[in-house]
Amino acid sequence: MGAEIVEGESVRLVIDTQSDTYEQAIAAVQAAYGFNAGALVSDWPEAPALEPRPGPEDLSGEDLGEGWTERLLFDTIAAVMPGARAVLRRLVDLGGTASYDDIQEYFADHPETPIPRGRIGGTLTSVRAVRRRIGPDNNTRLLELDDRVRVYRIEPFLVEGMRRAFALADARPDLLRQGPACP
């Protein structure tokens, strides 16, 4: 930007959106159009350091039990259908156990993820499908339904790992499956 700008000539301006601040970009545009001829690159404030974005690699790879790791839990919740993810989150929020009727009632009129009564089981089929593809090599389940007492259950040793996985999901929704169609 220190070069002389001649009227009628074209000017090429490059703004690096990763390192230049908004103020630096505005100063460069103003200088290019002659509105603030005194603005020089040396006058620009330093761009703030970028905060690293959290990612799945930040989760623990330690075995929480039965082959599950925080990373596998995140990969599972990222890959399931949004409705199934909402049910898993609700179960985690409740400490890992809830009755079928409570879950059904909670989601029947849910403002963001309504699931019609009687469709919870169908919604959760993606958990089983994803678990077979992503989960540990053994046959452990992430989510169990005790038909005798109609209770959904997530093993207590997985609940805290799922909380950390959901925290990452909240920070990085771009990593989650967003809808029913998956290419």
Side-chain angles (χ1 to χ4, degrees):
M1 292 301 315
E4 185 177 320
I5 299 173
V6 179
E7 190 173 331
E9 294 290 320
S10 64
V11 175
R12 182 174 184 186
L13 178 64
V14 177
I15 298 171
D16 183 347
T17 59
Q18 294 294 316
S19 63
D20 294 336
T21 65
Y22 175 78
E23 291 78 15
Q24 290 171 326
I26 294 300
V29 171
Q30 288 175 339
Y33 281 93
F35 294 124
N36 188 5
L40 298 174
V41 174
S42 60
D43 294 336
W44 292 357
E46 280 298 313
L50 295 175
E51 293 285 327
R53 292 181 69 185
E57 63 279 354
D58 296 327
L59 295 171
S60 170
E62 289 184 34
D63 189 340
L64 300 172
E66 298 180 358
W68 287 101
T69 65
E70 288 178 5
R71 175 65 190 259
L72 282 177
L73 292 170
F74 176 79
D75 290 346
T76 300
I77 65 170
V80 298
M81 300 292 287
R85 185 179 313 119
V87 173
L88 289 174
R89 180 182 294 255
R90 178 69 179 157
L91 285 166
V92 167
D93 290 346
L94 294 172
T97 304
S99 76
Y100 181 87
D101 294 331
D102 289 344
I103 294 294
Q104 194 175 27
E105 185 178 319
Y106 180 81
F107 284 100
D109 297 316
H110 195 274
E112 296 169 12
T113 314
I115 302 171
R117 294 186 186 277
R119 302 285 298 168
I120 297 291
T123 299
L124 293 174
T125 58
S126 75
V127 174
R128 286 188 295 278
V130 167
R131 186 259 158 275
R132 283 191 297 267
R133 194 180 76 227
I134 294 176
D137 291 336
N138 57 27
N139 285 329
T140 60
R141 294 182 179 172
L142 174 62
L143 175 66
E144 295 182 28
L145 171 61
D146 185 339
D147 288 323
R148 293 177 297 116
V149 290
R150 296 174 50 93
V151 169
Y152 285 111
R153 183 169 181 264
I154 297 172
E155 291 291 341
F157 64 86
L158 295 177
V159 173
E160 192 56 40
M162 288 190 73
R163 280 194 179 104
R164 286 188 286 278
F166 275 120
L168 175 59
D170 291 342
R172 294 287 309 275
D174 58 305
L175 300 175
L176 304 178
R177 178 179 184 173
Q178 300 297 319
C182 192

